[in-house]
Amino acid sequence: MTVKCLGYLGVQTPDPASWEPFGTGVLGLAVTAKGDDGTLYLRADERRHRLAIHPGEDSRIRYAGWEVADEAGLTAMTERLNGAGVSWTEGDREECVSRGVERFVRFADPAGIPHEVFYGAVVTYDPFVPGRPMSGFVTGQQGLGHIVFIVPDAKAAHEFYTKAMGFKLSDIVDTAFHTPGYFYHCNSRHHSIAVLEVPGVAGLHHLMLEVNALDDVGIGYDLVKQGGYPLSMELGRHSTDQMVSFYVVSPAGFEIEYGWGGRQVDDETWHVVRADRGEIWGHKIVGAGLPDTVKPVAAG
Ligand SMILES: [Fe+2]
């Protein structure tokens, strides 16, 4: 038994409030609540929240939350971690309340990227009303979206994500500026996680949010430009997952890929391939390099 999907993401940044007009007015997420400490909680569907923007000294990932079905699933994951020699600790009551889950455990990948596995997310029966007029997000069994990490050692990451966490390799892509990229799935979404190797650094590169209509992407693209938010990659279509998307640097340092039309995979028929490029068209790089959420790591 392995993780079923990406459930939530927590990041920190000096000014969480700066995320609100971007998250709602551009992306179409909705504010659930603001914590006493200034944390901004945002929803994308029936879950109480999917994204938590915490206050912190710098911009970095706090945790990526991976969902299992139930308590037995959590036990199976901790046994899997034990078998792979990965140490983990259990979240306390207060932390579970903050995450909006019944229970979770935390651990880190070989580069120190923090992960959590949880079950029992809080759902709300208040209808989801997007923060701007749009058709909503593709979530459900495919989870929140996908996240991409920069890691200093893709081989070590591959061992960890496949053996300790149970992800399946979808494909390998020779990308334009980080070579190569490894893409992994845990449900029908083409990838829920990917890693790109860059020596000496590690951290969150982007969160991909998939919307229900191509026009939501196009209108979002216009809003990014009207709002003066820094684009990182222009509109384009990826090769293997076929997502039509653009990349924008969010006010918390990490990038958002905002996309539509992602391919789904079926393990019965799927073959791993190595793609000779990351894009079919577009995705011209216009940004200034790696996001602030990618940090130097100690040489090992
Ligand atoms: Fe992506």
Side-chain angles (χ1 to χ4, degrees):
M1 195 181 300
T2 60
V3 297
K4 291 199 169 291
C5 62
L6 177 66
Y8 56 76
L9 177 66
V11 300
Q12 68 170 48
T13 195
D15 181 18
S18 67
W19 228 84
E20 184 174 342
F22 172 77
T24 58
V26 175
L27 303 182
L29 299 167
V31 174
T32 302
K34 289 172 192 170
D36 293 338
D37 65 351
T39 296
L40 182 69
Y41 295 97
L42 296 136
R43 61 185 289 205
D45 55 12
E46 80 290 350
R47 295 288 168 89
R48 189 194 72 184
H49 75 270
R50 289 286 197 173
L51 193 55
I53 316 283
H54 298 285
E57 273 185 13
D58 62 354
S59 293
R60 62 175 63 231
I61 182 173
R62 282 265 189 102
Y63 47 81
W66 299 97
E67 185 161 9
V68 289
D70 50 22
E71 190 164 19
L74 192 63
T75 302
M77 270 306 300
T78 56
E79 285 169 358
R80 199 178 179 113
L81 293 169
N82 290 342
V86 176
S87 61
W88 53 271
T89 57
E90 177 134 10
D92 65 25
R93 206 57 241 151
E94 194 181 327
E95 291 169 327
C96 286
V97 170
S98 165
R99 307 291 192 275
V101 301
E102 197 61 25
R103 279 180 60 198
F104 77 89
V105 298
R106 61 159 65 85
F107 49 92
D109 87 349
I113 292 168
H115 291 279
E116 296 177 354
V117 172
F118 74 94
Y119 78 92
V122 175
V123 302
T124 174
Y125 289 86
D126 289 334
F128 173 66
V129 179
R132 68 162 171 97
M134 49 90 73
S135 65
F137 296 91
V138 177
T139 57
Q141 65 88 24
Q142 295 189 68
L144 170 61
H146 72 233
I147 43 181
V148 175
F149 294 111
I150 303 294
V151 297
D153 181 348
K155 193 157 185 269
H158 179 80
E159 289 290 300
F160 176 83
Y161 289 113
T162 55
K163 299 212 167 94
M165 290 191 73
F167 288 102
K168 290 183 173 147
L169 184 65
S170 304
D171 39 45
I172 304 160
V173 179
D174 291 320
T175 61
F177 67 127
H178 304 299
T179 301
Y182 293 83
F183 295 74
Y184 304 90
H185 63 277
C186 57
N187 55 55
S188 68
R189 191 184 289 285
H190 173 274
H191 60 282
S192 290
I193 187 169
V195 296
L196 302 168
E197 181 178 293
V198 179
V201 290
L204 176 62
H205 184 275
H206 70 265
L207 166 69
M208 190 285 303
L209 297 171
E210 184 175 1
V211 293
N212 286 319
L214 178 59
D215 287 345
D216 295 332
V217 175
I219 292 167
Y221 197 57
D222 286 347
L223 290 169
V224 161
K225 290 198 265 191
Q226 284 164 23
Y229 295 103
L231 270 178
S232 164
M233 278 166 59
E234 291 179 349
L235 198 63
R237 186 163 213 170
H238 279 307
S239 54
T240 54
D241 83 341
Q242 301 177 355
M243 190 79 73
V244 176
S245 62
F246 65 85
Y247 290 66
V248 56
V249 181
S250 85
F254 68 99
E255 296 181 13
I256 291 284
E257 179 184 4
Y258 199 67
W260 169 85
R263 183 185 202 177
Q264 294 190 49
V265 303
D266 175 357
D267 276 325
E268 291 296 313
T269 54
W270 190 253
H271 294 237
V272 172
V273 298
R274 181 164 190 143
D276 68 352
R277 70 200 68 182
E279 334 299 332
I280 299 170
W281 54 267
H283 279 159
K284 183 182 167 199
I285 297 167
V286 290
L290 293 170
D292 291 346
T293 45
V294 176
K295 311 289 189 189
V297 289

